[in-house]
Amino acid sequence: MLASAVAALMVSQSLNLVPWPDHVTPGPGSFQLTDRSGILAGRGADVVANQLRTWLVPATGFALPVSKRRGDVSLAVDSTLRSTLGDEGYRLRVEPGGVSVVGSSTAGLFYGCQTLRQLLPSAIFSPTRVDSTWTAPGVEIVDRPRFRWRGAHLDVSRNFMPKAWILKYLDLLAAHKFNRFHWHLTDDQGWRIEIKKYPMLTEVGSKRKDTMLVYDPPKYSGEPHEGFYTQEDVKEIVAYAAERFITVVPEIEMPGHAQAAIAAYPELGDGEEHEVWTKWGVNENVFNVKDETLDFLKDVLDEVMALFPSQFIHVGGDECPKAQWKASAFAQAKMTKLGLKDEHELQSWFIRQMDAYIASKGRRLIGWSEILEGGLAPGAALMVWLGDEGAEAAVKSGHDVVMAQTTHTYFDYYQVKDRTKEPHSIGGFLPLEKVYAYEPILPSFSEAEAKHVMGAQFQLWTEYIREPSHAEYMAFPRACALAEVVWSPKESRNWQSFSTRLPFHLDRLTQMGVNFRQLDPGP
Ligand code: TNX
């Protein structure tokens, strides 16, 4: 590399931004934010201007005025920028005389302000007053995300997470420019969302009498576990996310991972009484294929769609053992009547019913890899957690996909090889460097096929994650690496650069009170 290029890289790295922007050009001097500064809210910038003001108060103690007339930090939305910067882009200029952030949309402006925050000393993220000089280096940044789906998943069924922490998680996601929160709300071990028409779902389905702590040899907590979100909680969370330009994608699992619902309403399953499950794994108790059961699920989806404006509604679809359908005379007769050759086709039929219903409401279905079994419903999108073949089959037949593979995005896996050094986990091994190396576009994809890759997301399954602080430990800093995978241009992805910037970024997380996993000591 030329010495001048190295020097430019060094300067730009001293900006320590995560995720790294599309274009960064260091400029002369720096800008100092003082108690005489002000925020000039140009066209379309009122909401974000007030957010920026709010972010700056705790650490600086400055209550900066937001005005339409003057201010050295000027914010605006210019939709003509969409042609060059897409729907979520921005341009940010820092000069000694002032800062200007222009978004192609309010989301773009929001991301520009997130970047501006990172240009200030990391203490800007402190929740309490810090004595500091608040300077940002001179720079011009022109930025836009690589992918439109930049997701973070959270399982609250296996272990319930309190609302206050969900809000903190959303703040952290927004700070990394994630824009999808995939909320795994139901599973065998707990139903966590209030459904007014079916109160037993939470009255019975949100409580279990014990929790598995270790699978083999089995060890249990010996204590009951419960929790659910009321519809008021859900509204608050969805609104809080929307203010941060995050769409909450709800997941209601079907036809498998359904034991908590079946515990509440046994007629949805094989008719026997079942308890909310206390252990982990793949469960034989699945929804039956009766019309009444499908109607129940449509009722549930009605309430879900009323609460979540997300275009995509996740119906799970993974790991549905077929034993009960094989043993059921009703299911077998249904298969004959519908001309289906096996239970996989019956699963596909099931998902198609839901796809048609969701589509009739103007939404789109998304489901895990297994919804491919027996053919994908026409408008459905695939969330790929298993191998590449599913992704290939889906995009080649014109379906959209979100890449979420176990190999690179399962943050419930260990972060070190020596398991005795970390809290007990489900297994696996997914170090930071491997997350950073994830490439959501498979080499076999043509340019047209690549357009069907909406993006990628990380998964936080919580079988062995009982506390928010442990969830933070599993999510960070791996989420920082994935943020860069989904936001930054492929050409600029560079592990050396990321590992140089990361320690500075971790200072920000420290200020935000995140219990991230410490980096391994260097060589
Ligand atoms: C597989 S990924 C599951 C989850 C588990 C996870 C644990 C998927 C669609 N199903 O039910 O929590 O593995 O890693």
Side-chain angles (χ1 to χ4, degrees), residues 158 187 257 318-319 368 385 410 412-413 426 461 463:
R158 274 56 178 272
D187 214 302
H257 287 286
D318 60 308
E319 301 178 323
W368 297 110
W385 72 287
Y410 269 43
D412 53 338
Y413 292 178
I426 197 155
W461 298 105
E463 283 95 333

Side-chain angles (χ1 to χ4, degrees), residues 38-307:
I39 302 175
L40 171 61
R43 191 191 303 165
D46 290 350
V47 171
V48 177
N50 281 300
Q51 281 174 300
L52 177 63
R53 177 188 192 275
T54 309
W55 293 341
L56 298 174
V57 171
T60 64
F62 308 155
L64 301 185
V66 173
S67 102
K68 288 270 174 218
R69 275 190 300 274
R70 56 197 169 79
D72 49 1
V73 178
S74 109
L75 310 184
V77 173
D78 176 359
S79 57
T80 64
L81 287 176
R82 281 188 187 221
S83 57
T84 48
L85 293 182
D87 293 343
E88 299 174 287
Y90 66 91
R91 205 188 58 220
L92 162 60
R93 214 173 270 146
V94 178
E95 293 167 327
V99 173
S100 135
V101 193
V102 185
S104 65
S105 62
T106 42
L109 179 62
F110 178 84
Y111 296 130
C113 288
Q114 289 286 11
T115 302
L116 174 59
R117 235 175 149 192
Q118 291 196 2
L119 290 172
L120 293 164
S122 60
I124 197 68
F125 290 92
S126 163
T128 54
R129 181 91 185 257
V130 179
D131 230 346
S132 173
T133 309
W134 303 104
T135 52
V139 70
E140 166 145 25
I141 293 174
V142 183
D143 199 13
R144 59 181 299 173
R146 180 173 175 209
F147 290 106
R148 61 190 186 277
W149 185 298
R150 304 180 300 278
H153 154 288
L154 179 70
D155 167 11
V156 291
S157 169
R158 274 56 178 272
N159 277 300
F160 178 75
M161 299 286 161
K163 182 177 74 181
W165 184 74
I166 303 282
L167 302 181
K168 178 181 181 190
Y169 192 58
L170 289 167
D171 277 324
L172 292 169
L173 297 180
H176 292 83
K177 304 186 173 81
F178 285 101
N179 68 352
R180 292 287 185 284
F181 171 45
H182 171 177
W183 206 7
H184 185 81
L185 285 162
T186 73
D187 214 302
D188 300 307
Q189 297 84 0
W191 183 283
R192 308 269 175 236
I193 176 171
E194 177 190 23
I195 299 294
K196 305 249 190 222
K197 189 161 183 188
Y198 301 105
M200 302 303 265
L201 284 172
T202 43
E203 223 156 273
V204 173
S206 74
K207 302 170 184 163
R208 63 171 182 255
K209 54 180 201 214
D210 210 343
T211 296
M212 178 172 244
L213 299 180
V214 181
Y215 196 88
D216 187 22
K219 191 176 144 204
Y220 285 85
S221 71
E223 287 167 6
H225 179 85
E226 66 175 283
F228 70 92
Y229 307 92
T230 65
Q231 294 204 352
E232 287 310 307
D233 293 335
V234 171
K235 285 180 198 160
E236 186 184 336
I237 286 165
V238 168
Y240 193 89
E243 284 165 16
R244 287 151 186 78
F245 301 90
I246 294 171
T247 302
V248 186
V249 180
E251 180 182 354
I252 305 295
E253 275 269 22
M254 62 186 84
H257 287 286
Q259 186 162 313
I262 293 166
Y265 296 99
E267 63 273 24
L268 300 170
D270 64 353
E272 306 285 319
E273 296 279 330
H274 298 282
E275 291 182 333
V276 178
W277 214 22
T278 56
K279 65 178 278 199
W280 317 125
V282 177
N283 189 308
E284 298 272 301
N285 289 301
V286 304
F287 287 126
N288 64 39
V289 294
K290 291 187 179 151
D291 291 345
E292 296 80 359
T293 299
L294 274 82
D295 287 344
F296 158 86
L297 287 166
K298 289 174 188 170
D299 290 342
V300 168
L301 290 176
D302 279 343
E303 292 194 31
V304 166
M305 286 188 277
L307 289 166

Side-chain angles (χ1 to χ4, degrees), residues 274 307 331 374 383 394 449 508-509:
H274 298 282
L307 289 166
M383 190 166 273
E449 287 162 0
R508 299 180 187 121
L509 298 189

Side-chain angles (χ1 to χ4, degrees), residues 389-467:
E389 315 76 45
E392 276 162 0
V395 300
K396 286 190 196 313
S397 55
H399 292 276
D400 290 334
V401 298
V402 172
M403 301 299 277
Q405 289 166 299
T406 56
T407 50
H408 292 76
T409 69
Y410 269 43
F411 289 7
D412 53 338
Y413 292 178
Y414 284 100
Q415 303 181 65
V416 282
K417 272 217 171 89
D418 181 356
R419 295 181 175 186
T420 61
K421 295 212 152 54
E422 295 219 297
H424 182 71
S425 298
I426 197 155
F429 173 47
L430 179 56
L432 184 63
E433 193 164 356
K434 189 167 179 192
V435 176
Y436 195 76
Y438 190 43
E439 177 44 46
I441 308 272
L442 301 178
S444 62
F445 288 176
S446 68
E447 218 172 290
E449 287 162 0
K451 291 210 165 66
H452 285 298
V453 178
M454 294 193 284
Q457 65 175 39
F458 69 82
Q459 281 38 253
L460 207 51
W461 298 105
T462 57
E463 283 95 333
Y464 300 96
I465 301 175
R466 309 188 71 206
E467 300 294 334

